Amino acid sequence: MALSCERGDLLLGYVLGVLVLSFLSYPVSVGGAALKMEALPETGATVLNHSMALVQRMENLMALGNASDVSLRVQTLNTEEVKVLPAHSLVLSLQSDVFRDLLLARNGSALVLSETVECAAVFDKFLRYLYCGDISVRLDQAIPLHQLATKYRVEGLQLGLTQFMSQHLSSESPSGHVVGWYQYAQRIGDAPLQDSCLRYLSWNLSSVLQSAEWTSVSADLLLTLLRRSDLVVQSELELYDGLEAWAARNRPGGPTAERALEAIRYGMIPPQKLFHLQKNSPLMQKHYGAVRDLLYLAFQFHATPPVQLAKYFEVNCSIFTPRNYLSPAWGAPWVISSPTRDDRSFSFQTQLGPSGHDASKKVTWNALFSPRWFPLGARASYAEPGAMMPTLTDGGRPRIIVTPATSSPDFAGVSFQKTVMVMARQQGKVVVRHVYNFHQSTEEAGDFLAEADLQRRASEYLIDSALYLHVVVKPVYHTLIVAKK
């Protein structure tokens, strides 16, 4: 063991000396962009920074292979294709413990590495990162580069690629990439990336349903999505149509198709549309037995006052729980220009409830947005009657309140779950970026835009200096949400 360590130290010392000589053999320009000067007021010193020139040297060293002491033979699995890349043991060992161990155990000057087709295609990019510390990445290269970073335990690149994927979920690609990234994150156990992908798919499902990516969704991911209540779609019918398109392309087995059909919330689909599905949907006709009872319950729900229905049926609540529907019956968009300027308000109408008995009844809602709201405890007190509080110009936080314009006996047995979605433009595409849910017993979301800096023009919460919101009101019947015991 001592001999192996001594031999390794001698080897690294020799390579370090060769690398130093190689550096000295290249002239370095310190003018223009290659030289940066940074003053340090606290010490009175000035830092002369030539790091960019050093990066250029390292890049040249890799490209020309000067003083290379190891040859990387990157062999593509199941093929005879081999890519030969000259490298330097010191650089590889400093960047990766895995490479260090492989180099110490090798015989000869060549190190044979077996990689998949995808990883072999980007190995030269990966190697350049080890030398220079930066890398250019396309969407289709993120997974193979992450696989290489994971295999050789290059943690900085691993973390950077995870952040890259999380920040480029909305980027355009010919066949989509979010589903593939989700499945990869699930396979390697990267929970944060998996959650980011799943949240993006859920909050932007209406556009995903219309994309080429939708039919590439796995059966497990499909069922995971269908069971969520935070899906953002135009209507439950749009979701059913998406399921039908997915099934026509993927031809799932009976159990998968039946579980997917059972996850549709038929109580949220108007009865005339349900009749149409019964007669014209090939998927429903093929698996009608799996949903017969659910359809029967949905038709009863639409034909009977919900409170009366609950006297005779103990039902699963999911079929009667709305998702985040974008259609006008459930809410309205709201664009607030210059949101830091002053308070804004607007009114909109929704249906009282999803039941056919309540759908024709309308509820008018008033929404108030305040850019700088202060809790009561933080406000000054004024003892004189009629005294006015001064205008608050800074501090506080944004606040949004949604209340019914009037009360009605029809509200008995119904609570209203309010949701506010905040849109953002990412990579030129408008997406749902944040979703805030109000507790059923309150009229506002306590954490609404709590971390937003609306004063900053480039804020991720703004589109062209305006706040793009969509307010959704979801009626929930109390007597129908008691789970079976």
Side-chain angles (χ1 to χ4, degrees):
M1 178 66 70
L3 289 176
S4 298
C5 292
E6 182 180 357
R7 181 183 176 188
D9 291 340
L10 289 173
L11 174 63
L12 290 181
Y14 168 76
V15 174
L16 178 58
V18 172
L19 288 176
V20 170
L21 291 175
S22 298
F23 285 162
L24 292 176
S25 67
Y26 288 97
V28 181
S29 169
V30 296
L35 173 62
K36 289 185 178 180
M37 292 191 182
E38 182 180 354
L40 300 177
E42 61 276 12
T43 64
T46 298
V47 176
L48 303 181
N49 186 344
H50 296 97
S51 59
M52 291 304 298
L54 180 60
V55 170
Q56 284 181 333
R57 283 189 175 194
M58 294 296 292
E59 188 168 12
N60 289 336
L61 186 68
M62 184 197 74
L64 299 176
N66 289 344
S68 167
D69 66 324
V70 61
S71 177
L72 300 181
R73 298 179 59 83
V74 183
Q75 183 169 356
T76 303
L77 290 173
N78 303 320
T79 72
E80 297 181 356
E81 183 179 347
V82 177
K83 184 185 296 185
V84 180
L85 300 170
H88 303 83
S89 299
L90 177 62
V91 175
L92 300 180
S93 298
L94 288 175
Q95 295 282 39
S96 164
D97 292 343
V98 175
F99 270 125
R100 182 196 62 196
D101 295 341
L102 290 173
L103 290 167
L104 290 175
R106 83 184 193 278
N107 292 318
S109 61
L111 183 60
V112 179
L113 306 171
S114 298
E115 306 294 348
T116 63
V117 173
E118 296 80 9
C119 289
V122 297
F123 198 92
D124 52 345
K125 278 180 171 285
F126 173 66
L127 184 61
R128 184 190 180 281
Y129 175 85
L130 299 183
Y131 277 78
C132 303
D134 62 50
I135 191 168
S136 62
V137 185
R138 297 200 313 261
L139 296 176
D140 61 327
Q141 297 172 334
I143 288 179
L145 284 170
H146 193 278
Q147 289 173 322
L148 289 172
T150 303
K151 178 179 179 179
Y152 296 103
R153 291 205 290 270
V154 183
E155 295 180 358
L157 180 58
Q158 211 175 337
L159 177 60
L161 287 165
T162 298
Q163 293 174 342
F164 168 83
M165 288 187 273
S166 296
Q167 294 169 6
H168 286 77
L169 297 173
S170 60
S171 296
E172 294 287 350
S173 57
S175 57
H177 54 278
V178 182
V179 170
W181 288 355
Y182 170 85
Q183 292 168 344
Y184 173 68
Q186 185 180 45
R187 189 164 64 250
I188 66 174
D190 189 332
L193 178 58
Q194 185 179 345
D195 291 343
S196 295
C197 293
L198 186 58
R199 185 167 54 247
Y200 175 85
L201 292 170
S202 300
W203 291 356
N204 297 278
L205 191 58
S206 187
S207 60
V208 173
L209 291 173
Q210 312 304 321
S211 70
E213 188 170 22
W214 173 243
T215 54
S216 68
V217 167
S218 67
D220 287 342
L221 177 55
L222 174 78
L223 294 174
T224 297
L225 288 168
L226 291 177
R227 290 166 181 154
R228 292 176 67 107
S229 293
D230 65 341
L231 300 185
V232 177
V233 288
Q234 291 293 326
S235 65
E236 193 73 17
L237 185 60
E238 181 188 41
L239 187 59
Y240 184 91
D241 290 340
L243 170 59
E244 186 114 59
W246 180 90
R249 179 66 180 270
N250 291 276
R251 301 185 180 280
T256 298
E258 290 175 3
R259 286 199 298 272
L261 282 168
E262 289 168 355
I264 295 294
R265 302 181 179 183
Y266 297 101
M268 302 297 106
I269 301 177
Q272 63 272 25
K273 300 295 184 181
L274 290 176
F275 281 122
H276 179 80
L277 293 179
Q278 279 185 303
K279 184 177 180 180
N280 297 290
S281 168
L283 182 64
M284 183 174 288
Q285 290 176 351
K286 184 176 181 180
H287 303 281
Y288 186 72
V291 296
R292 181 189 295 111
D293 291 345
L294 292 175
L295 289 173
Y296 178 66
L297 186 60
F299 282 125
Q300 288 184 308
F301 174 68
H302 285 301
T304 309
V307 176
Q308 292 298 319
L309 183 67
K311 292 180 179 179
Y312 303 98
F313 293 93
E314 186 180 359
V315 297
N316 188 317
C317 67
S318 65
I319 190 176
F320 304 110
T321 302
R323 309 183 202 262
N324 291 324
Y325 301 126
L326 298 175
S327 61
W330 300 90
W334 187 12
V335 179
I336 304 175
S337 301
S338 302
T340 60
R341 195 177 63 200
D342 48 30
D343 293 357
R344 315 292 175 83
S345 63
F346 94 119
S347 298
F348 62 98
Q349 284 191 326
T350 64
Q351 60 190 25
L352 173 62
S355 165
H357 184 265
D358 291 335
S360 61
K361 301 174 183 177
K362 302 299 180 183
V363 180
T364 300
W365 298 91
N366 294 327
L368 170 68
F369 171 80
S370 177
R372 293 174 299 276
W373 172 76
F374 277 77
L376 289 176
R379 303 183 187 189
S381 58
Y382 295 86
E384 293 185 25
M388 297 181 61
M389 281 188 60
T391 303
L392 296 170
T393 57
D394 53 22
R397 63 172 177 80
R399 182 192 194 192
I400 189 168
I401 302 174
V402 180
T403 57
T406 60
S407 61
S408 169
D410 292 330
F411 292 0
V414 182
S415 63
F416 298 97
Q417 172 75 57
K418 278 87 71 177
T419 296
V420 177
M421 292 171 278
V422 181
M423 312 301 178
R425 180 179 288 130
Q426 296 180 341
Q427 289 80 47
K429 183 178 179 181
V430 176
V431 298
V432 177
R433 182 65 177 84
H434 301 274
V435 173
Y436 298 95
N437 294 309
F438 294 38
H439 189 276
Q440 291 181 13
S441 61
T442 66
E443 297 174 341
E444 64 177 305
D447 60 343
F448 180 66
L449 299 179
E451 299 179 358
D453 181 5
L454 301 182
Q455 299 281 356
R456 188 165 54 89
R457 291 179 61 86
S459 171
E460 66 178 52
Y461 295 82
L462 301 178
I463 300 177
D464 298 329
S465 301
L467 190 61
Y468 279 66
L469 309 178
H470 195 108
V471 185
V472 176
V473 179
K474 295 173 286 188
V476 178
Y477 296 99
H478 286 292
T479 52
L480 296 181
I481 63 174
V482 179
K484 290 183 179 181
K485 296 182 179 179

